[in-house]
Amino acid sequence: IIKFAYREKLFIFADEVYQHNIYAEGSKFHSFKKVMNELGEPYNQMELASFMTCSKGYMGECGIRGGYAEVVNMDPKVMYMLEKSISAKCCPSVIGQACMDAVVNPPRPGEESYETWHHQVQGALTSLKRRAELVAGTLNAIPGIRCNPVQGAMYAFPQIELPAAAVKAAAEAGQAPDVFYAFSLLEATGICVIPGSGFGQAPGTYHFRTTILAQEDVIIEMLARLKQFHIQFLNKFS
């Protein structure tokens, strides 16, 4: 990505908010800034903005909006205009700023709250790993659905096989096939997924995006309803 961006003279916006959410064995987070510096000249001189937030990751404080962007190698005149633009806007809420400070300055080993903090973080990440494995494994056990392992973050992006009759019905309804599937799923079960057509999927393939964030008992119940719906959907349009 870095070499491509350099060749095409692109400014890199790095969404690195899930840097702690790595579940796959042997996998590790590597920041764009780190890799750029390891590559050396000329890549370490590229413009980069890296984003982090307290609303995602293991914190998952979705109701608290706070975050930051680290900008490196930006042209000084452009940086001046960016800072000028930012200074004219309303600042985040105090609680959002306080939460972000807690994220970037966590307790250190030896401090009184470190053990409690470490236990809570590892507990959250371990639970998310279980959920990632549960979602991918269950989806792969449903006929007509294939899902890659959820290596990180909070989402699964399974591919679904849709019968020709379902594709035809979607066209008659004026919808993309995966949109038709997603609306049918929502109306039948109350489960909301995001159609893959919004993510630039390969032509002729169909996907949806779903989260692993719900609690484990909720995910198990949701996946059971999804399986039942999918089998009925295939039978209806086969």
Side-chain angles (χ1 to χ4, degrees), residues 46-93:
M46 294 173 61
E47 294 177 309
L48 166 72
S50 172
F51 298 91
M52 183 57 177
T53 178
C54 62
S55 303
K56 304 286 186 179
Y58 67 82
M59 300 78 63
E61 296 290 352
C62 299
I64 300 179
R65 296 303 180 186
Y68 69 81
E70 180 187 16
V71 182
V72 297
N73 297 327
M74 180 178 278
D75 181 281
K77 293 181 180 179
V78 179
M79 189 68 184
Y80 171 77
M81 295 304 297
L82 174 62
E83 292 175 339
K84 182 179 179 181
S85 173
I86 292 173
S87 67
K89 298 178 181 179
C90 294
C91 66
S93 65

Side-chain angles (χ1 to χ4, degrees), residues 106 157 231:
F157 194 67
I231 293 173

Side-chain angles (χ1 to χ4, degrees), residues 16-21 51-62 64-68 95-108 117 121:
E16 300 182 320
V17 301
Y18 292 114
Q19 57 190 260
H20 301 105
N21 298 68
F51 298 91
M52 183 57 177
T53 178
C54 62
S55 303
K56 304 286 186 179
Y58 67 82
M59 300 78 63
E61 296 290 352
C62 299
I64 300 179
R65 296 303 180 186
Y68 69 81
I95 190 172
Q97 295 183 57
C99 186
M100 199 66 238
D101 182 74
V103 171
V104 298
N105 294 297
R108 302 295 195 270
W117 171 83
V121 169

